[in-house]
Amino acid sequence: MISRADQRDQTRQSLLREGRRLFTAEGYAAVSLAQIVTAAGVTKGALYHHFASKADLFRAVLAEVQAEVAREVAQTADAQPDPWSQFVAGCHAFLAASTAPAVQRIMLIDGPAVLGWNEWRTLDEATSARHLAEALTALIDAHLIPPQPVAPLTHLLSGAMNEAALWLASTTTPDALGTTQTALTRLLNSLRTPTS
C-alpha cells in the first residue's frame, strides 16, 4: 500500500516531469494547465495543492533544470586535475549543457520572460553564478589570475556564456559548440596571471 506522502510526492514529480516536457516542446506561453494535468493524469486541484499557478510550476521546473546543469558542470570540473583545468572544463560543460533543448527553452529563453529578469538572475546566482564565483575566487587565491573584485568578473563571464548559449540555441553553423568553446578558452586564458 502506497502512503499518502509517497502519493503526494509521485503527483508532484509527475507534474514536474510533464510540465518540463510540455514547456520544452511548446514553450511556456503555449502550454495550458489543462494540458499539464491531463498529461500528468491528475486533477487541477492536485496541481493547485502543489503549485499556486502555472508560473509556480514553471519556477520549480526551472530550478530543477538549473540544479541539473550546475551538477553537470561541477562533475565535469571535479574530474580535472588542477584548478585552472577545472575552471575551463566547467565553463565548457556549461556551454555543452546549454545545447540541450530543455536548458535552452526553459533556462535561457522562457526563464527570464516568465519570471522577469530580476527573479531569473536571483535563481541563476544561487546555482551557476555562485559556482563560477567560487571558481574565480579559488583561482585568485592560487595566484592563477590577478587579484580583482570577483562579482563584476562573475557577471561578465556569466553574461558572455549565457549569450553564447543563446546563440548556440539558434545557430545552424557547423561545429558551433566546438568553435564557441575554442573562443571561450581564448577569452579565459586572457585572464591568467602572466608568467615571467
Short mmCIF file of all heavy atoms in Angstrom, two decimals, residues 58-59 62 66 94 104 106-126 129 154-166:
data_model
loop_
_atom_site.label_atom_id
_atom_site.label_comp_id
_atom_site.label_asym_id
_atom_site.label_seq_id
_atom_site.Cartn_x
_atom_site.Cartn_y
_atom_site.Cartn_z
N PHE A 58 6.31 26.34 -13.31
CA PHE A 58 7.45 26.65 -14.17
C PHE A 58 8.68 26.98 -13.35
O PHE A 58 9.78 26.54 -13.66
CB PHE A 58 7.12 27.80 -15.13
CG PHE A 58 8.27 28.16 -16.02
CD1 PHE A 58 8.51 27.47 -17.18
CD2 PHE A 58 9.14 29.18 -15.67
CE1 PHE A 58 9.59 27.77 -18.00
CE2 PHE A 58 10.22 29.50 -16.47
CZ PHE A 58 10.44 28.80 -17.64
N ARG A 59 8.51 27.77 -12.29
CA ARG A 59 9.62 28.14 -11.41
C ARG A 59 10.30 26.89 -10.84
O ARG A 59 11.53 26.79 -10.80
CB ARG A 59 9.11 29.04 -10.28
CG ARG A 59 10.17 29.58 -9.36
CD ARG A 59 9.57 30.49 -8.29
NE ARG A 59 8.99 31.70 -8.87
CZ ARG A 59 7.69 31.94 -9.01
NH1 ARG A 59 6.80 31.05 -8.61
NH2 ARG A 59 7.27 33.06 -9.55
N LEU A 62 12.19 25.18 -13.66
CA LEU A 62 13.42 25.93 -13.92
C LEU A 62 14.48 25.64 -12.86
O LEU A 62 15.65 25.42 -13.19
CB LEU A 62 13.12 27.43 -13.98
CG LEU A 62 14.33 28.37 -14.06
CD1 LEU A 62 15.16 28.11 -15.31
CD2 LEU A 62 13.87 29.82 -14.01
N GLN A 66 18.14 24.16 -13.63
CA GLN A 66 19.35 24.86 -13.21
C GLN A 66 20.21 23.99 -12.30
O GLN A 66 21.44 23.98 -12.42
CB GLN A 66 18.99 26.16 -12.50
CG GLN A 66 18.51 27.24 -13.43
CD GLN A 66 18.15 28.52 -12.70
OE1 GLN A 66 17.51 28.49 -11.66
NE2 GLN A 66 18.57 29.64 -13.26
N PHE A 94 29.22 24.00 -19.17
CA PHE A 94 28.02 24.84 -19.18
C PHE A 94 27.54 25.05 -20.61
O PHE A 94 26.35 24.91 -20.90
CB PHE A 94 28.27 26.19 -18.51
CG PHE A 94 27.11 27.13 -18.67
CD1 PHE A 94 25.99 27.01 -17.86
CD2 PHE A 94 27.11 28.10 -19.66
CE1 PHE A 94 24.90 27.84 -18.04
CE2 PHE A 94 26.03 28.94 -19.85
CZ PHE A 94 24.92 28.81 -19.04
N GLN A 104 17.85 25.17 -23.12
CA GLN A 104 17.68 26.35 -23.97
C GLN A 104 16.32 27.01 -23.74
O GLN A 104 16.24 28.20 -23.46
CB GLN A 104 17.81 25.97 -25.45
CG GLN A 104 19.21 25.56 -25.83
CD GLN A 104 19.29 25.03 -27.26
OE1 GLN A 104 18.28 24.70 -27.88
NE2 GLN A 104 20.49 24.93 -27.77
N ILE A 106 13.80 26.37 -21.37
CA ILE A 106 13.35 26.67 -20.01
C ILE A 106 14.28 27.64 -19.29
O ILE A 106 13.84 28.63 -18.71
CB ILE A 106 13.18 25.36 -19.21
CG1 ILE A 106 12.02 24.55 -19.81
CG2 ILE A 106 12.95 25.63 -17.73
CD1 ILE A 106 11.90 23.13 -19.30
N MET A 107 15.58 27.38 -19.34
CA MET A 107 16.51 28.17 -18.55
C MET A 107 16.90 29.48 -19.22
O MET A 107 17.03 30.51 -18.55
CB MET A 107 17.77 27.35 -18.25
CG MET A 107 18.66 27.97 -17.20
SD MET A 107 19.96 26.85 -16.65
CE MET A 107 21.29 27.31 -17.75
N LEU A 108 17.07 29.47 -20.53
CA LEU A 108 17.63 30.65 -21.19
C LEU A 108 16.61 31.52 -21.90
O LEU A 108 16.79 32.74 -21.97
CB LEU A 108 18.71 30.21 -22.19
CG LEU A 108 19.90 29.47 -21.57
CD1 LEU A 108 20.79 28.89 -22.64
CD2 LEU A 108 20.67 30.40 -20.65
N ILE A 109 15.55 30.92 -22.44
CA ILE A 109 14.58 31.71 -23.20
C ILE A 109 13.36 32.07 -22.36
O ILE A 109 13.07 33.23 -22.12
CB ILE A 109 14.17 30.96 -24.49
CG1 ILE A 109 15.40 30.78 -25.40
CG2 ILE A 109 13.06 31.71 -25.23
CD1 ILE A 109 15.20 29.85 -26.57
N ASP A 110 12.63 31.05 -21.88
CA ASP A 110 11.41 31.32 -21.13
C ASP A 110 11.67 31.79 -19.70
O ASP A 110 10.87 32.55 -19.16
CB ASP A 110 10.49 30.09 -21.12
CG ASP A 110 9.74 29.90 -22.43
OD1 ASP A 110 9.77 30.81 -23.28
OD2 ASP A 110 9.13 28.82 -22.61
N GLY A 111 12.74 31.33 -19.09
CA GLY A 111 13.01 31.70 -17.70
C GLY A 111 12.96 33.19 -17.46
O GLY A 111 12.16 33.66 -16.63
N PRO A 112 13.78 33.99 -18.16
CA PRO A 112 13.73 35.44 -17.93
C PRO A 112 12.39 36.06 -18.33
O PRO A 112 11.91 36.99 -17.69
CB PRO A 112 14.87 35.98 -18.81
CG PRO A 112 15.75 34.81 -19.07
CD PRO A 112 14.87 33.60 -19.05
N ALA A 113 11.77 35.52 -19.39
CA ALA A 113 10.50 36.08 -19.86
C ALA A 113 9.35 35.81 -18.89
O ALA A 113 8.52 36.69 -18.64
CB ALA A 113 10.16 35.51 -21.24
N VAL A 114 9.31 34.61 -18.34
CA VAL A 114 8.20 34.22 -17.47
C VAL A 114 8.36 34.82 -16.07
O VAL A 114 7.41 35.36 -15.50
CB VAL A 114 8.09 32.68 -17.38
CG1 VAL A 114 7.07 32.25 -16.33
CG2 VAL A 114 7.73 32.10 -18.74
N LEU A 115 9.54 34.72 -15.51
CA LEU A 115 9.75 35.13 -14.12
C LEU A 115 10.18 36.59 -13.98
O LEU A 115 10.13 37.14 -12.89
CB LEU A 115 10.79 34.24 -13.46
CG LEU A 115 10.46 32.75 -13.43
CD1 LEU A 115 11.58 31.98 -12.75
CD2 LEU A 115 9.13 32.49 -12.76
N GLY A 116 10.63 37.18 -15.07
CA GLY A 116 11.20 38.52 -15.00
C GLY A 116 12.70 38.43 -14.77
O GLY A 116 13.20 37.46 -14.20
N TRP A 117 13.40 39.41 -15.25
CA TRP A 117 14.85 39.39 -15.22
C TRP A 117 15.40 39.27 -13.81
O TRP A 117 16.32 38.49 -13.54
CB TRP A 117 15.40 40.64 -15.91
CG TRP A 117 16.88 40.68 -15.97
CD1 TRP A 117 17.70 41.49 -15.27
CD2 TRP A 117 17.73 39.85 -16.76
NE1 TRP A 117 19.02 41.24 -15.58
CE2 TRP A 117 19.06 40.23 -16.50
CE3 TRP A 117 17.51 38.83 -17.68
CZ2 TRP A 117 20.15 39.63 -17.10
CZ3 TRP A 117 18.61 38.23 -18.29
CH2 TRP A 117 19.90 38.62 -18.00
N ASN A 118 14.85 40.03 -12.86
CA ASN A 118 15.39 40.04 -11.50
C ASN A 118 15.26 38.68 -10.82
O ASN A 118 16.21 38.20 -10.21
CB ASN A 118 14.73 41.13 -10.66
CG ASN A 118 15.18 42.52 -11.05
OD1 ASN A 118 16.25 42.69 -11.62
ND2 ASN A 118 14.35 43.50 -10.77
N GLU A 119 14.08 38.06 -10.93
CA GLU A 119 13.91 36.76 -10.28
C GLU A 119 14.77 35.70 -10.97
O GLU A 119 15.37 34.84 -10.32
CB GLU A 119 12.44 36.33 -10.29
CG GLU A 119 12.23 35.04 -9.51
CD GLU A 119 10.78 34.65 -9.36
OE1 GLU A 119 9.88 35.43 -9.73
OE2 GLU A 119 10.55 33.53 -8.86
N TRP A 120 14.84 35.76 -12.31
CA TRP A 120 15.67 34.80 -13.05
C TRP A 120 17.13 34.92 -12.62
O TRP A 120 17.80 33.93 -12.39
CB TRP A 120 15.53 35.02 -14.55
CG TRP A 120 16.33 34.04 -15.35
CD1 TRP A 120 15.96 32.78 -15.71
CD2 TRP A 120 17.65 34.24 -15.86
NE1 TRP A 120 16.98 32.17 -16.43
CE2 TRP A 120 18.02 33.05 -16.53
CE3 TRP A 120 18.55 35.30 -15.83
CZ2 TRP A 120 19.26 32.91 -17.16
CZ3 TRP A 120 19.77 35.15 -16.45
CH2 TRP A 120 20.12 33.96 -17.10
N ARG A 121 17.62 36.16 -12.49
CA ARG A 121 19.01 36.38 -12.07
C ARG A 121 19.23 35.85 -10.66
O ARG A 121 20.27 35.28 -10.36
CB ARG A 121 19.37 37.88 -12.10
CG ARG A 121 19.55 38.46 -13.46
CD ARG A 121 20.69 37.86 -14.25
NE ARG A 121 21.96 37.98 -13.59
CZ ARG A 121 22.95 37.11 -13.68
NH1 ARG A 121 22.82 36.03 -14.42
NH2 ARG A 121 24.08 37.29 -13.05
N THR A 122 18.27 36.03 -9.77
CA THR A 122 18.39 35.53 -8.40
C THR A 122 18.54 34.01 -8.41
O THR A 122 19.40 33.46 -7.71
CB THR A 122 17.17 35.95 -7.56
OG1 THR A 122 17.12 37.38 -7.52
CG2 THR A 122 17.24 35.40 -6.16
N LEU A 123 17.73 33.33 -9.21
CA LEU A 123 17.83 31.87 -9.31
C LEU A 123 19.17 31.46 -9.92
O LEU A 123 19.81 30.52 -9.46
CB LEU A 123 16.68 31.30 -10.13
CG LEU A 123 15.30 31.34 -9.49
CD1 LEU A 123 14.22 30.95 -10.49
CD2 LEU A 123 15.24 30.45 -8.26
N ASP A 124 19.60 32.18 -10.95
CA ASP A 124 20.88 31.87 -11.61
C ASP A 124 22.05 32.08 -10.65
O ASP A 124 22.97 31.29 -10.60
CB ASP A 124 21.05 32.73 -12.86
CG ASP A 124 22.33 32.40 -13.62
OD1 ASP A 124 22.46 31.25 -14.08
OD2 ASP A 124 23.19 33.29 -13.75
N GLU A 125 21.98 33.15 -9.87
CA GLU A 125 23.06 33.44 -8.92
C GLU A 125 23.16 32.38 -7.82
O GLU A 125 24.24 32.16 -7.27
CB GLU A 125 22.87 34.83 -8.31
CG GLU A 125 23.22 35.93 -9.30
CD GLU A 125 22.94 37.33 -8.78
OE1 GLU A 125 22.55 37.47 -7.61
OE2 GLU A 125 23.13 38.28 -9.57
N ALA A 126 22.06 31.71 -7.53
CA ALA A 126 22.07 30.67 -6.50
C ALA A 126 22.71 29.38 -6.99
O ALA A 126 23.09 28.53 -6.19
CB ALA A 126 20.66 30.40 -6.01
N ALA A 129 25.99 30.98 -11.20
CA ALA A 129 26.84 32.14 -10.88
C ALA A 129 27.60 31.93 -9.58
O ALA A 129 28.75 32.35 -9.44
CB ALA A 129 26.00 33.41 -10.84
N THR A 154 32.49 37.77 -12.37
CA THR A 154 31.49 36.70 -12.44
C THR A 154 30.36 37.10 -13.39
O THR A 154 29.95 36.32 -14.25
CB THR A 154 30.92 36.39 -11.04
OG1 THR A 154 31.99 35.97 -10.20
CG2 THR A 154 29.87 35.31 -11.11
N HIS A 155 29.86 38.33 -13.24
CA HIS A 155 28.76 38.79 -14.09
C HIS A 155 29.18 38.90 -15.55
O HIS A 155 28.40 38.56 -16.45
CB HIS A 155 28.19 40.11 -13.57
CG HIS A 155 27.36 39.94 -12.34
ND1 HIS A 155 26.04 39.54 -12.37
CD2 HIS A 155 27.67 40.07 -11.03
CE1 HIS A 155 25.57 39.46 -11.14
NE2 HIS A 155 26.54 39.76 -10.31
N LEU A 156 30.39 39.38 -15.78
CA LEU A 156 30.88 39.48 -17.16
C LEU A 156 30.97 38.11 -17.82
O LEU A 156 30.49 37.91 -18.94
CB LEU A 156 32.25 40.17 -17.19
CG LEU A 156 32.23 41.68 -16.98
CD1 LEU A 156 33.64 42.19 -16.69
CD2 LEU A 156 31.66 42.37 -18.21
N LEU A 157 31.58 37.16 -17.13
CA LEU A 157 31.74 35.83 -17.72
C LEU A 157 30.40 35.10 -17.84
O LEU A 157 30.13 34.44 -18.85
CB LEU A 157 32.72 35.00 -16.89
CG LEU A 157 34.17 35.43 -16.97
CD1 LEU A 157 35.03 34.58 -16.04
CD2 LEU A 157 34.69 35.34 -18.40
N SER A 158 29.56 35.25 -16.82
CA SER A 158 28.24 34.62 -16.87
C SER A 158 27.43 35.17 -18.04
O SER A 158 26.80 34.43 -18.79
CB SER A 158 27.50 34.85 -15.55
OG SER A 158 26.22 34.27 -15.59
N GLY A 159 27.46 36.48 -18.19
CA GLY A 159 26.74 37.11 -19.31
C GLY A 159 27.26 36.65 -20.65
O GLY A 159 26.48 36.34 -21.57
N ALA A 160 28.58 36.57 -20.78
CA ALA A 160 29.17 36.11 -22.05
C ALA A 160 28.75 34.67 -22.35
O ALA A 160 28.39 34.34 -23.49
CB ALA A 160 30.69 36.23 -21.99
N MET A 161 28.79 33.82 -21.33
CA MET A 161 28.44 32.41 -21.57
C MET A 161 26.94 32.24 -21.83
O MET A 161 26.55 31.43 -22.68
CB MET A 161 28.92 31.54 -20.42
CG MET A 161 30.44 31.36 -20.43
SD MET A 161 31.04 30.17 -19.23
CE MET A 161 30.89 31.10 -17.71
N ASN A 162 26.10 33.02 -21.13
CA ASN A 162 24.66 32.95 -21.41
C ASN A 162 24.35 33.42 -22.83
O ASN A 162 23.53 32.83 -23.52
CB ASN A 162 23.86 33.76 -20.39
CG ASN A 162 23.75 33.05 -19.05
OD1 ASN A 162 23.85 31.84 -18.95
ND2 ASN A 162 23.56 33.83 -18.00
N GLU A 163 25.01 34.49 -23.27
CA GLU A 163 24.80 34.97 -24.64
C GLU A 163 25.28 33.94 -25.66
O GLU A 163 24.62 33.71 -26.67
CB GLU A 163 25.54 36.30 -24.86
CG GLU A 163 24.76 37.50 -24.40
CD GLU A 163 23.44 37.67 -25.13
OE1 GLU A 163 23.39 37.57 -26.37
OE2 GLU A 163 22.43 37.91 -24.45
N ALA A 164 26.42 33.33 -25.38
CA ALA A 164 26.92 32.28 -26.29
C ALA A 164 25.94 31.11 -26.33
O ALA A 164 25.67 30.54 -27.40
CB ALA A 164 28.30 31.81 -25.84
N ALA A 165 25.37 30.76 -25.18
CA ALA A 165 24.41 29.66 -25.13
C ALA A 165 23.16 30.00 -25.94
O ALA A 165 22.62 29.14 -26.66
CB ALA A 165 24.04 29.35 -23.68
N LEU A 166 22.68 31.24 -25.85
CA LEU A 166 21.53 31.66 -26.65
C LEU A 166 21.85 31.61 -28.13
O LEU A 166 21.02 31.22 -28.95
CB LEU A 166 21.08 33.07 -26.24
CG LEU A 166 20.35 33.16 -24.91
CD1 LEU A 166 20.18 34.61 -24.48
CD2 LEU A 166 19.00 32.46 -24.98
#
